Amino acid sequence: NNMTLVTGFINIPNENKKIKTHCVKKNIYNYLDKSIPTLKIKQNMIIYIPENLYTHVYEIRKNLNLLNKTKIIIINDNYLYMNEYLDNIKINCLKNIETYKNHYYISAVSTRYNFLKDAIKNNYFNTEYTTWIDFGASHCIDINDDTLFKYNKNKFRIAWIARFDKKNNNFKYNHYVLGGGIFGGKNNILKKVCDLHDKIFLDNM
Protein backbone atom coordinates (compact mmCIF):
# COMPACT_ATOMS: atom_id res chain seq x y z
CA ASN A 1 0.00 0.00 0.00
CA ASN A 2 3.03 2.28 0.14
CA MET A 3 3.60 1.96 -3.63
CA THR A 4 1.94 3.87 -6.48
CA LEU A 5 2.18 2.50 -9.99
CA VAL A 6 2.23 5.02 -12.82
CA THR A 7 1.42 4.16 -16.41
CA GLY A 8 0.14 5.96 -19.47
CA PHE A 9 -0.22 6.30 -23.17
CA ILE A 10 -0.07 9.26 -25.51
CA ASN A 11 -1.45 9.27 -29.05
CA ILE A 12 1.26 9.43 -31.71
CA PRO A 13 0.15 10.99 -34.98
CA ASN A 14 1.99 10.06 -38.14
CA GLU A 15 2.55 12.41 -41.06
CA ASN A 16 -1.11 12.01 -42.07
CA LYS A 17 -2.21 12.83 -38.51
CA LYS A 18 -3.71 9.39 -37.98
CA ILE A 19 -3.49 7.95 -34.49
CA LYS A 20 -0.99 5.17 -33.96
CA THR A 21 -2.06 2.47 -31.49
CA HIS A 22 0.20 -0.28 -32.83
CA CYS A 23 3.92 -0.76 -32.34
CA VAL A 24 5.94 -1.76 -35.39
CA LYS A 25 9.37 -3.11 -34.48
CA LYS A 26 10.32 -6.76 -34.63
CA ASN A 27 6.73 -7.67 -33.76
CA ILE A 28 3.40 -5.99 -34.35
CA TYR A 29 1.14 -5.76 -31.32
CA ASN A 30 -1.81 -3.71 -30.17
CA TYR A 31 -1.15 -1.43 -27.18
CA LEU A 32 -4.75 -1.74 -25.99
CA ASP A 33 -4.63 -5.54 -25.85
CA LYS A 34 -1.27 -5.48 -24.10
CA SER A 35 -2.44 -2.85 -21.61
CA ILE A 36 -5.05 -5.16 -20.05
CA PRO A 37 -2.62 -7.11 -17.78
CA THR A 38 -1.07 -3.82 -16.60
CA LEU A 39 -4.47 -2.35 -15.79
CA LYS A 40 -5.42 -5.49 -13.82
CA ILE A 41 -2.62 -5.05 -11.26
CA LYS A 42 -4.32 -4.66 -7.87
CA GLN A 43 -2.36 -1.69 -6.58
CA ASN A 44 -2.64 2.08 -6.41
CA MET A 45 -2.36 3.27 -9.99
CA ILE A 46 -2.24 6.65 -11.72
CA ILE A 47 -3.09 6.32 -15.40
CA TYR A 48 -2.41 9.10 -17.91
CA ILE A 49 -4.38 8.62 -21.11
CA PRO A 50 -5.99 10.55 -23.96
CA GLU A 51 -9.77 10.86 -23.85
CA ASN A 52 -10.34 8.17 -26.49
CA LEU A 53 -8.93 5.51 -24.11
CA TYR A 54 -10.90 6.51 -21.01
CA THR A 55 -13.68 3.92 -21.34
CA HIS A 56 -11.17 1.12 -22.00
CA VAL A 57 -9.24 1.94 -18.82
CA TYR A 58 -12.22 2.79 -16.60
CA GLU A 59 -14.16 -0.39 -17.37
CA ILE A 60 -11.18 -2.69 -16.63
CA ARG A 61 -10.48 -1.07 -13.26
CA LYS A 62 -14.22 -0.87 -12.39
CA ASN A 63 -14.84 -4.53 -13.19
CA LEU A 64 -12.08 -5.51 -10.75
CA ASN A 65 -13.39 -3.17 -8.02
CA LEU A 66 -10.19 -1.14 -8.20
CA LEU A 67 -11.63 2.36 -8.64
CA ASN A 68 -10.62 3.25 -5.06
CA LYS A 69 -7.02 2.52 -6.10
CA THR A 70 -7.30 4.35 -9.42
CA LYS A 71 -6.63 7.91 -10.57
CA ILE A 72 -7.26 8.48 -14.29
CA ILE A 73 -5.89 11.70 -15.77
CA ILE A 74 -6.99 12.79 -19.24
CA ILE A 75 -4.06 14.25 -21.15
CA ASN A 76 -3.40 16.19 -24.33
CA ASP A 77 -0.30 17.05 -26.34
CA ASN A 78 0.84 19.46 -23.63
CA TYR A 79 2.15 16.41 -21.77
CA LEU A 80 4.29 15.37 -24.76
CA TYR A 81 7.93 15.31 -23.66
CA MET A 82 10.00 18.31 -24.81
CA ASN A 83 7.15 19.34 -27.12
CA GLU A 84 8.66 22.80 -27.46
CA TYR A 85 11.65 21.16 -29.21
CA LEU A 86 9.76 18.94 -31.68
CA ASP A 87 11.29 20.70 -34.69
CA ASN A 88 14.81 20.06 -33.35
CA ILE A 89 13.97 16.43 -32.57
CA LYS A 90 12.54 15.95 -36.06
CA ILE A 91 15.84 17.09 -37.62
CA ASN A 92 17.83 14.85 -35.29
CA CYS A 93 15.66 11.86 -36.23
CA LEU A 94 16.48 12.05 -39.93
CA LYS A 95 19.57 9.88 -39.43
CA ASN A 96 17.64 7.17 -37.55
CA ILE A 97 16.49 3.81 -38.82
CA GLU A 98 12.87 3.78 -39.99
CA THR A 99 11.36 2.73 -36.65
CA TYR A 100 12.83 5.75 -34.87
CA LYS A 101 12.37 8.44 -37.52
CA ASN A 102 9.05 9.60 -36.08
CA HIS A 103 9.91 12.50 -33.78
CA TYR A 104 6.53 12.15 -32.03
CA TYR A 105 7.51 8.60 -31.10
CA ILE A 106 10.84 9.73 -29.62
CA SER A 107 9.03 12.32 -27.50
CA ALA A 108 6.16 9.99 -26.59
CA VAL A 109 8.53 7.32 -25.23
CA SER A 110 10.05 9.87 -22.86
CA THR A 111 6.70 11.35 -21.85
CA ARG A 112 6.78 8.84 -18.97
CA TYR A 113 9.12 11.28 -17.19
CA ASN A 114 6.50 14.04 -17.38
CA PHE A 115 3.91 11.61 -16.04
CA LEU A 116 6.19 10.53 -13.20
CA LYS A 117 7.04 14.07 -12.15
CA ASP A 118 3.35 14.98 -12.08
CA ALA A 119 2.48 11.82 -10.12
CA ILE A 120 5.24 12.39 -7.54
CA LYS A 121 4.33 16.07 -7.15
CA ASN A 122 0.63 15.36 -6.53
CA ASN A 123 1.11 11.99 -4.75
CA TYR A 124 -2.58 11.16 -4.99
CA PHE A 125 -2.30 8.02 -2.84
CA ASN A 126 0.16 9.48 -0.31
CA THR A 127 2.83 6.80 -0.84
CA GLU A 128 6.59 6.97 -0.36
CA TYR A 129 7.41 4.86 -3.44
CA THR A 130 6.51 5.11 -7.12
CA THR A 131 7.06 2.64 -9.96
CA TRP A 132 6.68 3.27 -13.66
CA ILE A 133 5.28 0.40 -15.75
CA ASP A 134 4.73 0.59 -19.50
CA PHE A 135 1.08 0.66 -20.58
CA GLY A 136 1.77 -2.32 -22.87
CA ALA A 137 4.43 -3.99 -20.71
CA SER A 138 2.95 -7.45 -21.24
CA HIS A 139 4.37 -7.53 -24.77
CA CYS A 140 7.69 -8.53 -23.18
CA ILE A 141 7.03 -9.59 -19.57
CA ASP A 142 4.54 -11.88 -17.86
CA ILE A 143 1.98 -10.14 -15.66
CA ASN A 144 -0.42 -12.44 -13.83
CA ASP A 145 -3.25 -12.01 -11.33
CA ASP A 146 -0.81 -12.12 -8.40
CA THR A 147 1.73 -9.61 -9.73
CA LEU A 148 2.59 -6.95 -7.14
CA PHE A 149 5.34 -4.36 -6.99
CA LYS A 150 7.14 -3.99 -3.67
CA TYR A 151 10.19 -1.97 -2.67
CA ASN A 152 11.43 -0.48 0.61
CA LYS A 153 14.93 0.85 0.03
CA ASN A 154 16.12 4.42 -0.12
CA LYS A 155 17.35 3.79 -3.66
CA PHE A 156 16.31 3.60 -7.29
CA ARG A 157 15.83 0.30 -9.15
CA ILE A 158 16.07 -0.32 -12.89
CA ALA A 159 17.12 -3.14 -15.23
CA TRP A 160 20.43 -3.10 -17.11
CA ILE A 161 19.83 -4.59 -20.54
CA ALA A 162 22.09 -7.34 -21.84
CA ARG A 163 22.22 -9.38 -25.03
CA PHE A 164 22.62 -13.14 -25.02
CA ASP A 165 25.93 -14.25 -26.54
CA LYS A 166 25.15 -17.61 -28.16
CA LYS A 167 28.81 -18.30 -28.90
CA ASN A 168 29.84 -18.08 -25.24
CA ASN A 169 26.45 -19.14 -23.83
CA ASN A 170 26.14 -16.16 -21.49
CA PHE A 171 24.77 -12.65 -21.21
CA LYS A 172 26.97 -9.81 -22.31
CA TYR A 173 26.46 -6.30 -20.96
CA ASN A 174 28.17 -4.74 -23.92
CA HIS A 175 26.26 -1.51 -24.32
CA TYR A 176 25.03 1.17 -21.99
CA VAL A 177 21.27 0.76 -22.08
CA LEU A 178 18.87 0.77 -19.13
CA GLY A 179 15.40 -0.76 -19.36
CA GLY A 180 12.69 1.88 -19.22
CA GLY A 181 9.74 -0.51 -19.13
CA ILE A 182 9.66 -0.88 -15.35
CA PHE A 183 11.63 1.20 -12.86
CA GLY A 184 11.00 2.91 -9.57
CA GLY A 185 12.03 3.75 -6.06
CA LYS A 186 11.71 6.32 -3.30
CA ASN A 187 9.86 9.36 -4.59
CA ASN A 188 12.58 11.93 -3.93
CA ILE A 189 15.19 9.79 -5.71
CA LEU A 190 12.89 9.02 -8.64
CA LYS A 191 12.30 12.76 -9.07
CA LYS A 192 16.09 13.23 -9.33
CA VAL A 193 16.23 10.50 -11.99
CA CYS A 194 13.56 12.31 -14.01
CA ASP A 195 15.48 15.59 -13.74
CA LEU A 196 18.68 13.82 -14.80
CA HIS A 197 16.91 12.37 -17.83
CA ASP A 198 15.83 15.91 -18.83
CA LYS A 199 19.42 17.13 -18.62
CA ILE A 200 20.86 14.24 -20.65
CA PHE A 201 18.10 14.46 -23.25
CA LEU A 202 18.79 18.18 -23.76
CA ASP A 203 22.55 17.58 -23.90
CA ASN A 204 22.10 14.85 -26.53
CA MET A 205 19.65 16.94 -28.54
Side-chain angles (χ1 to χ4, degrees):
N1 290 327
N2 203 17
M3 172 70 72
T4 294
L5 302 185
V6 179
T7 191
F9 184 90
I10 191 164
N11 290 327
I12 307 173
N14 63 16
E15 293 301 320
N16 298 318
K17 300 301 180 186
K18 293 178 182 177
I19 299 301
K20 175 184 176 185
T21 58
H22 288 72
C23 178
V24 181
K25 289 187 181 177
K26 292 180 181 177
N27 302 302
I28 298 176
Y29 58 87
N30 187 293
Y31 279 114
L32 296 189
D33 293 341
K34 296 301 181 182
S35 72
I36 294 171
T38 298
L39 295 171
K40 285 184 172 181
I41 298 172
K42 300 175 182 69
Q43 285 180 270
N44 300 317
M45 188 177 291
I46 305 174
I47 307 158
Y48 295 83
I49 48 163
E51 192 169 5
N52 64 309
L53 298 185
Y54 179 84
T55 301
H56 168 77
V57 169
Y58 179 85
E59 289 299 324
I60 291 171
R61 299 292 284 180
K62 178 186 175 184
N63 290 339
L64 292 170
N65 295 314
L66 292 173
L67 290 182
N68 64 321
K69 293 178 175 288
T70 303
K71 176 71 176 177
I72 301 173
I73 298 176
I74 302 298
I75 61 166
N76 54 37
D77 281 349
N78 291 334
Y79 274 86
L80 189 66
Y81 191 74
M82 299 287 177
N83 61 1
E84 67 271 35
Y85 296 110
L86 276 179
D87 289 341
N88 302 64
I89 298 169
K90 185 174 184 177
I91 293 169
N92 289 341
C93 284
L94 293 176
K95 69 184 185 308
N96 292 354
I97 63 173
E98 198 62 35
T99 304
Y100 300 106
K101 276 191 176 177
N102 187 336
H103 53 299
Y104 281 102
Y105 177 78
I106 299 300
S107 292
V109 167
S110 289
T111 300
R112 69 192 68 191
Y113 298 98
N114 287 346
F115 295 158
L116 280 169
K117 283 188 283 188
D118 184 75
I120 292 168
K121 176 184 175 183
N122 291 290
N123 199 2
Y124 296 103
F125 296 103
N126 194 30
T127 62
E128 293 181 87
Y129 298 89
T130 300
T131 290
W132 168 265
I133 178 168
D134 278 358
F135 196 63
S138 69
H139 85 277
C140 63
I141 64 166
D142 293 328
I143 301 174
N144 58 48
D145 290 343
D146 298 321
T147 297
L148 292 174
F149 290 82
K150 296 177 281 187
Y151 197 59
N152 63 355
K153 293 180 171 58
N154 192 29
K155 295 181 179 181
F156 162 68
R157 190 174 191 183
I158 193 167
W160 182 18
I161 295 177
R163 293 289 181 260
F164 189 70
D165 184 347
K166 292 181 180 178
K167 182 179 178 182
N168 295 308
N169 197 36
N170 61 16
F171 285 97
K172 187 175 182 182
Y173 295 88
N174 57 356
H175 62 310
Y176 304 99
V177 179
L178 297 174
I182 299 174
F183 60 95
K186 201 81 175 278
N187 290 345
N188 62 323
I189 296 175
L190 196 56
K191 171 62 167 57
K192 290 180 181 180
V193 171
C194 293
D195 292 341
L196 181 60
H197 184 277
D198 292 350
K199 179 182 183 304
I200 299 301
F201 189 97
L202 288 168
D203 287 348
N204 286 339
M205 185 175 63

